[in-house]
Amino acid sequence: MTEAGRHRVVDAPLAPPAPTAGLLDVLGRRYLLKLLVRREISARYQGSFLGFIWSYINPLSQLFIFWFVFGYIIGRGTVDKYAVHVFCGLIVVHFFTETFNAGTRSIVRNKALVRKMAMPKEMFPVASMLVSLYHVGPQLVILTVVCLFCGWTPDPLGMLAFALALAIIAVLGTALALMFSAANVFFRDFASAVTILTNFVRFGVPMIYPYTLVDQRFGRFAELYLFNPIADAVLLVQRAFWVGSTDHPDATIAEHIPDDLFVYGVGALLGSVVLLGIAQLVFTRLENKIPERLS
């Protein structure tokens, strides 16, 4: 037998051992993604006596603080059910900031896995987003109970608004986490910069103050405010829960909710999807250099 007969010759270009299809590879490895999410959640509550119960204690304490301080000490007579109004915003703000902060640090924090395993590196920012989404659950339970106590009744349009809000933050947070997680490998300053940036988020959305004030102060320029996807998401959650818990829901919608909120919401989601595509392109250009920068 000739030398050629003993060996099979494959005429194909060389390819890296690690996956290169980006987020599509993450979707194709759902089992591994599930393990990463479980690992992150277990690590967070490891050594804790109360464990997952802290996920309820923390949002409950914040709800009480806003209810007592702003409702009784400072006073917010112009906003009905002010604590619910604020808590709707807190759910969105926490979901975004936790995704952005944890996602930015995710690759550096898991550098041992990145160096040893051939897996899509996008999996780490995505896992951070899913962990943040997991913690929305206890906050949503508390918000639902409080709203039901206030006389809230779920409606299909409100539930659609809530789903749209979660989709906006999930996509936007993942996109930013994807870009900044790669940048943070090269310059650790990005993690600190993200922490500072997220400090401004709660003041750039109608959470502590109602959207009515923005409309009154800026008039026709208030529409520019609605180009902020996070602000749109907060208003959508308020439309889903806070509006129905007020004494006069129809009047609350007319006074505090923008007329074209769903149009802005859909636009925010589409814009976030475009940003996610850009983030994937940036990440793909940088990911081959990530392992050597982590060594």
Side-chain angles (χ1 to χ4, degrees):
M1 184 178 292
T2 64
E3 186 69 20
R6 287 197 301 267
H7 299 280
R8 183 181 177 187
V9 178
V10 178
D11 185 15
L14 295 175
T20 57
L23 291 171
L24 294 178
D25 276 323
V26 175
L27 295 176
R29 300 191 176 201
R30 288 185 293 273
Y31 179 73
L32 183 56
L33 180 61
K34 187 177 180 180
L35 290 179
L36 279 177
V37 171
R38 284 183 176 178
R39 175 174 169 266
E40 290 288 331
I41 294 173
S42 299
R44 179 169 299 193
Y45 299 107
Q46 188 176 12
S48 172
F49 177 72
L50 294 177
F52 186 67
I53 297 176
W54 284 111
S55 295
Y56 290 88
I57 295 175
N58 184 41
L60 265 175
S61 65
Q62 294 187 63
L63 178 61
F64 174 77
I65 290 170
F66 279 103
W67 169 73
F68 182 74
V69 174
F70 289 96
Y72 281 87
I73 298 179
I74 298 177
R76 288 287 178 175
T78 57
V79 180
D80 189 14
K81 303 296 187 301
Y82 180 72
V84 177
H85 177 277
V86 173
F87 199 69
C88 289
L90 279 176
I91 289 179
V92 173
V93 169
H94 283 180
F95 183 20
F96 174 76
T97 56
E98 188 177 344
T99 298
F100 196 9
N101 278 307
T104 297
R105 295 170 170 83
S106 60
I107 293 179
V108 172
R109 193 173 62 243
N110 292 280
K111 60 182 179 181
L113 288 176
V114 174
R115 289 198 302 255
K116 294 177 182 178
M117 294 184 64
M119 59 190 298
K121 300 174 185 65
E122 293 90 344
M123 190 166 294
F124 299 104
V126 173
S128 296
M129 183 274 292
L130 292 176
V131 171
S132 302
L133 181 60
Y134 178 81
H135 286 105
V136 169
Q139 300 171 22
L140 180 60
V141 170
I142 293 170
L143 178 61
T144 302
V145 171
V146 171
C147 288
L148 287 172
F149 182 77
C150 294
W152 171 76
T153 302
D155 67 283
L157 195 60
M159 295 302 96
L160 177 61
F162 181 69
L164 180 57
L166 286 185
I168 291 170
I169 299 302
V171 177
L172 178 65
T174 302
L176 293 174
L178 202 61
M179 282 194 289
F180 279 79
S181 63
N184 190 52
V185 172
F186 297 89
F187 301 100
R188 302 295 195 272
D189 308 81
F190 277 95
S192 300
V194 167
T195 301
I196 295 173
L197 286 173
T198 52
N199 288 335
F200 293 93
V201 171
R202 67 184 62 208
F203 298 102
V205 299
M207 181 180 72
I208 299 175
Y209 53 87
Y211 173 74
T212 308
L213 290 180
V214 178
D215 197 30
Q216 291 173 355
R217 298 290 191 276
F218 298 101
R220 60 190 180 90
F221 293 105
E223 292 185 1
L224 298 176
Y225 181 89
L226 295 175
F227 284 103
N228 177 2
I230 309 174
D232 296 333
V234 169
L235 285 165
L236 286 165
V237 176
Q238 289 172 350
R239 169 62 184 84
F241 291 95
W242 171 63
V243 166
S245 68
T246 59
D247 296 332
H248 304 286
D250 292 337
T252 301
I253 290 177
E255 183 178 0
H256 295 289
I257 302 298
D259 294 333
D260 299 326
L261 177 59
F262 280 91
V263 175
Y264 282 102
V266 172
L269 179 58
L270 293 176
S272 299
V273 170
V274 172
L275 182 62
L276 182 62
I278 296 172
Q280 177 65 84
L281 292 175
V282 172
F283 192 92
T284 301
R285 295 195 56 147
L286 297 176
E287 67 175 332
N288 289 335
K289 299 178 182 178
I290 288 176
E292 65 184 62
R293 295 304 294 258
L294 289 174
S295 58

